Amino acid sequence: MKPRLTPAEWAKTHRKYPEHAGVPGDRDPWLTPYFVPFTDAVAEGKYRRYVAACGAQMGKALALDTPIATPAGWATMGQLRAGDTVFGSDGRPVRVIVAHPVMTDHPCFEVVFDDGERIVADADHIWTVSRTERNGRNRRTVNMTTAEMVAEGPMVERGGKRRNLFSVPVAGALDLPPADLPVDPYLLGVWLGDGNARAPRISVGDEDLEAMRRQIEACGYETNAARERTCWRVGVFEPGMRGRRGGLNAKLTALGVIADKHIPAAYMRASGSQRLALLQGIMDTDGGVENGTIAGFTATGRELAEQVRDLA
């Protein structure tokens, strides 16, 4: 006599979903592991019934053009497929289990964040938000739908000012392994900020000259300095390559940044410490602090400016 299968074992063996389903074919019950203990307990005769309260996992939609960060760069919600990798709220890569068919004729709202970002979300989309009572007290983390936040009113008048009732926790920094980068990320950041667009030379002011040369040489490069009319010109070389062709200039050319300053994709998806070093190099040259509290960056090219924003 064959041993009796548990409900989960039976489902894995015999249950199939049609081709138009979100996950067609064999149904693995461990896609919803929270149900397995319930069904097993009922099958064993321990309980006659149970009640499970959970999200239906249906209709929690975002607009197809919503930007989504992936280890390979930016994608959109409409481009994602089952098996793709995206980043979770903690910054760690996670796999897309199901990509549901596109839904239409759903009530939607445009959600505007205080940094100017806008996302179009289904009324039933669930947000994890930090919620403050209207009296300004008892801040707590709750799950709410877009429609619930709209119905409650996202703003409140308090103390003569309009204040937000809801805020979304900041996601963790992208958690990625170290990348094999041809140019040290700090040096690339310095060059993107104050480098000659066609050569591995950097313009440096009088007060920063010695500190900047020490920083660059600590990254494993050699430098020389020549006085120009308004600043110092600092040449940067790989060890033993001074006066020779190739070297650092060839690597910058291979990265595609000569005469086209931008952050290469490999650097935007390097490890956290490598991305931080890149940002530090950029801020040490074209960055600054306003009013002692606000860090700012100035660039003449829109692409680089937007990349620095993403990097930060």
Side-chain angles (χ1 to χ4, degrees):
M1 184 176 178
K2 292 183 178 180
R4 184 180 180 184
L5 298 177
T6 67
E9 291 169 338
W10 185 93
K12 190 170 185 178
T13 304
H14 300 290
R15 193 176 186 186
K16 295 183 181 293
Y17 278 10
E19 288 300 319
H20 63 268
V23 184
D26 296 341
R27 170 64 177 179
D28 186 351
W30 290 100
L31 286 174
T32 52
Y34 38 83
F35 278 128
V36 173
F38 292 118
T39 56
D40 286 352
V42 171
E44 292 170 7
K46 293 182 179 180
Y47 306 95
R48 294 182 61 186
R49 69 184 63 176
Y50 67 87
V51 177
C54 59
Q57 303 302 311
M58 295 291 287
K60 313 300 189 291
L62 297 174
L64 295 180
D65 60 356
T66 303
I68 305 292
T70 78
W74 286 97
T76 64
M77 179 65 74
Q79 293 172 328
L80 296 181
R81 298 293 181 267
D84 289 348
T85 301
V86 298
F87 292 100
S89 58
D90 60 358
R92 296 179 180 179
V94 294
R95 187 169 62 90
V96 176
I97 296 176
V98 179
H100 291 285
V102 176
M103 293 177 287
T104 59
D105 298 324
H106 279 226
C108 296
F109 296 90
E110 184 180 62
V111 181
V112 182
F113 296 85
D114 61 5
D115 65 351
E117 291 287 346
R118 297 171 180 266
I119 291 178
V120 176
D122 185 286
D124 290 330
H125 184 77
I126 296 177
W127 303 79
T128 298
V129 297
S130 181
R131 182 187 185 282
T132 305
E133 299 295 339
R134 290 187 173 272
N135 60 10
R137 302 173 184 172
N138 302 326
R139 178 173 287 273
R140 55 195 176 93
T141 300
V142 297
N143 291 328
M144 300 182 69
T145 66
T146 313
E148 287 172 338
M149 289 190 288
V150 171
E152 187 166 342
M155 305 291 291
V156 63
E157 193 82 26
R158 192 170 59 243
K161 296 182 179 180
R162 287 174 57 80
R163 302 180 185 274
N164 293 312
L165 284 183
F166 311 109
S167 62
V168 175
V170 176
L174 305 188
D175 188 355
L176 291 165
D180 184 13
L181 303 176
V183 177
D184 181 88
Y186 177 81
L187 174 62
L188 179 64
V190 168
W191 181 83
L192 288 173
D194 278 344
N196 183 302
R198 299 185 179 278
R201 296 193 296 269
I202 299 163
S203 298
V204 184
D206 293 337
E207 295 180 355
D208 297 327
L209 177 63
E210 293 306 317
M212 181 58 70
R213 292 187 68 178
R214 285 196 301 269
Q215 288 283 96
I216 294 173
E217 290 168 3
C219 295
Y221 298 91
E222 297 176 356
T223 66
N224 64 13
R227 181 66 188 176
E228 295 190 336
R229 185 168 59 86
T230 58
C231 63
W232 290 86
R233 184 187 67 193
V234 175
V236 184
F237 315 89
E238 292 188 324
M241 294 297 293
R242 186 177 305 191
R244 300 183 183 181
R245 291 186 176 183
L248 185 57
N249 190 72
K251 291 181 177 180
L252 291 173
T253 300
L255 283 172
V257 295
I258 291 291
D260 179 22
K261 284 191 176 184
H262 66 278
I263 301 175
Y267 286 77
M268 294 297 290
R269 289 297 184 263
S271 71
S273 59
Q274 289 173 318
R275 300 196 312 273
L276 177 60
L278 173 63
L279 184 60
Q280 288 171 330
I282 291 171
M283 293 299 291
D284 278 353
T285 49
D286 273 356
V289 179
E290 301 174 12
N291 302 322
T293 57
I294 301 174
F297 167 75
T298 302
T300 57
R302 185 180 184 86
E303 179 185 12
L304 181 58
E306 291 181 343
Q307 285 186 312
V308 172
R309 180 188 63 178
D310 284 347
L311 186 65

